[in-house]
Amino acid sequence: MSSDDRIGPPNFGSERDMLRAFLDYHRATLAMKCEGLTDEELRRQSMPPSTLSLLGLVRHLAEVERAWFRRVFEDNDAPMVWSDEIDFQAAYDASESTRQEAFAAWEAEVAASRRIERAAVSLDQAGYQPRWEEEVSLRMVMLHVLLEYGRHNGHADFLREGVDGTVGA
């Protein structure tokens, strides 16, 4: 990690602006944690029996973005990125993956999520979560995805330290 170019969330703003800013901050944190590493380093697993790796986290969060924005608000039947079924664990297997593959998918899903969020009239806009078979609000989706990033960025901290000793942010 050469530098911290993330834009910090504002101290004041509307609920939507704050959610958007914190989500983008966490997205940028994940990218920063992967910065400067080779494909091999990004695939390095934490410790047996876990297969968790930084690249696996990027792939998983691409699935999270798709499952919570695209599938809820645009296409309930959109296929997942790395599994024929709704299997979030499949994305963690990054043994054959590359930075280019994983980041291209993640960045495409982030772009779709941002587009969907910006097009929504309000945080109360309802979408249908097919896994739960019930409606959810955009507010709930943004909070859920934000919490996913927060949890997984904690994993990314430890994974990055294990790869090259880099800590912080």
Side-chain angles (χ1 to χ4, degrees):
M1 298 182 324
S2 58
S3 64
D4 186 348
D5 296 329
R6 297 171 301 163
I7 297 171
N11 293 331
F12 298 93
S14 71
E15 178 185 13
R16 189 166 186 173
D17 287 343
M18 296 295 276
L19 286 170
R20 183 184 293 149
F22 270 92
L23 189 50
D24 279 342
Y25 183 78
H26 272 281
R27 289 168 174 151
T29 299
L30 178 65
M32 187 180 76
K33 285 295 177 179
C34 297
E35 183 180 284
L37 298 178
T38 66
D39 286 358
E40 181 182 335
E41 289 169 325
L42 289 169
R43 286 190 296 264
R44 190 169 300 161
Q45 297 174 351
S46 58
M47 68 182 83
S50 176
T51 60
L52 191 62
S53 68
L54 285 165
L55 209 53
L57 286 177
V58 172
R59 289 166 48 105
H60 172 72
L61 285 160
E63 296 284 37
V64 167
E65 295 270 1
R66 179 174 285 204
W68 283 100
F69 284 96
R70 192 183 302 242
R71 285 179 52 89
V72 168
F73 295 104
E74 281 190 343
D75 180 1
N76 298 147
D77 296 318
M80 298 303 284
V81 183
W82 284 285
S83 73
D84 294 333
E85 300 175 13
I86 309 301
D87 179 6
F88 287 91
Q89 296 303 310
Y92 285 124
D93 181 7
S95 58
E96 302 296 321
S97 188
T98 64
R99 170 192 294 275
Q100 181 179 2
E101 174 213 32
F103 272 86
W106 178 66
E107 289 166 359
E109 292 307 319
V110 167
S113 297
R114 286 180 176 138
R115 176 183 46 74
I116 290 164
E117 182 270 320
R118 290 193 184 279
V121 175
S122 79
L123 291 174
D124 292 323
Q125 180 168 323
Y128 181 75
Q129 175 46 275
R131 289 185 309 140
W132 296 356
E133 298 182 353
E134 57 188 65
E135 288 191 340
V136 295
S137 69
L138 176 60
R139 177 182 292 103
M140 182 273 174
V141 167
M142 290 183 77
L143 283 166
H144 181 88
V145 174
L146 177 60
L147 291 170
E148 282 275 333
Y149 273 97
R151 180 173 55 139
H152 291 309
N153 279 337
H155 298 139
D157 285 340
F158 289 118
L159 288 164
R160 179 63 190 248
E161 185 176 5
V163 169
D164 67 359
T166 300
V167 296

